[in-house]
Amino acid sequence: NAGVMQNPRHLVRRRGQEARLRCSPMKGHSHVYWYRQLPEEGLKFMVYLQKENIIDESGMPKERFSAEFPKEGPSILRIQQVVRGDSAAYFCASSPLLQGGIAEAFFGQGTRLTVV
Amino acid sequence: AQTVTQSQPEMSVQEAETVTLSCTYDTSESDYYLFWYKQPPSRQMILVIRQEAYKQQNATENRFSVNFQKAAKSFSLKISDSQLGDAAMYFCALTGTASKLTFGTGTRLQVTL
């Protein structure tokens, strides 16, 4: 049973380019979360998605950032017109659907984005 | 809003000794979970231990145990018989019914011979 798969592991983009980060959740998981970790900091929540729905995007910057989790295929975090301040590690986590209660999230290995 | 505070940026422990990492939190929810994650240089987030708020008994996982003080909103991690492989960043985290995790700023643990 494969874990949460993120790709690429490392991504280098020039300022102004677009970055696309992919996340395939664990089998059977229908909830996906994206977190950002700046150097020497903890992880900060960005967005929470279910299939074809954004549930909570309160941590997403208002501009240039978007996320989707289509019916088929991986979840995508897209950053348009990247700037140096976007350089960070981006983590995806997934959890199963629970009827009530709180589900444990399982993390991918992250994508390290470097903007040059 | 939920907050998690780790007041120890760095800690050091000798191999085979015991170390305690501190964490305090704040939440208005009555139903929540607390976690300790380990992040080695590989960056992988590894779940070390979890605690359900409704459980009074402190969670234990082999050499790892927690001291959960619900009234004080404190959730410390004790590592016994420390090993070189325990060296990493340790993050305390909290989740409630909104499902998203709120992390502390982390404690870097060094293990010395």
Side-chain angles (χ1 to χ4, degrees), chain B residues 1 6 9 18 23 26 29 43 45 48 50 52 55 58 67-68 70 78 81 86-87 93-94 99 106-108 113:
Chain B
Q6 293 180 251
T18 296
C23 172
D26 194 20
E29 298 195 49
R43 286 206 326 266
M45 294 294 287
V48 174
R50 59 185 276 174
E52 293 90 333
K55 289 187 177 178
N58 289 323
N67 184 3
F68 175 44
K70 191 172 183 178
K78 186 170 82 171
D81 186 24
D86 295 333
L94 164 70
S99 298
T107 297
R108 184 178 303 279
L113 293 170

Side-chain angles (χ1 to χ4, degrees), chain B residues 10-21 63-64 77-88 90 107-113:
Chain B
E10 291 190 10
M11 292 285 284
S12 182
V13 62
Q14 280 193 319
E15 201 177 15
E17 296 296 309
T18 296
V19 65
T20 299
L21 307 184
R63 297 183 295 107
F64 299 88
L77 174 69
K78 186 170 82 171
I79 306 174
S80 304
D81 186 24
S82 297
Q83 300 175 359
L84 293 177
D86 295 333
Y90 286 82
T107 297
R108 184 178 303 279
L109 179 66
Q110 293 183 324
V111 181
T112 59
L113 293 170

Side-chain angles (χ1 to χ4, degrees), chain A residues 9-106:
Chain A
R9 290 291 309 279
H10 301 273
L11 182 61
V12 179
R13 284 288 178 265
R14 296 185 185 278
R15 281 178 293 169
Q17 291 185 319
E18 179 179 283
R20 284 195 180 206
L21 289 63
R22 294 175 184 77
C23 169
S24 296
M26 284 181 71
K27 187 176 180 180
H29 286 192
S30 56
H31 300 238
V32 165
Y33 311 81
W34 286 93
Y35 294 85
R36 177 165 65 177
Q37 184 178 30
L38 295 171
E40 306 302 319
E41 293 188 14
L43 279 70
K44 296 284 174 63
F45 168 79
M46 299 182 74
V47 62
Y48 165 31
L49 309 105
Q50 294 178 19
K51 288 280 187 181
E52 301 183 282
N53 279 310
I54 296 175
I55 305 302
D56 181 349
E57 56 181 348
S58 58
M60 284 275 273
K62 294 288 186 275
E63 297 178 352
R64 302 187 298 108
F65 285 72
S66 63
E68 62 177 6
F69 188 17
K71 188 176 180 181
E72 301 291 338
S75 175
I76 306 287
L77 178 66
R78 181 185 304 157
I79 311 172
Q80 296 177 302
Q81 299 176 319
V82 296
V83 301
R84 289 226 170 100
D86 297 332
S87 295
Y90 291 83
F91 287 89
C92 172
S94 73
S95 68
L97 175 65
L98 282 187
Q99 299 300 328
I102 299 171
E104 178 180 335
F106 296 81

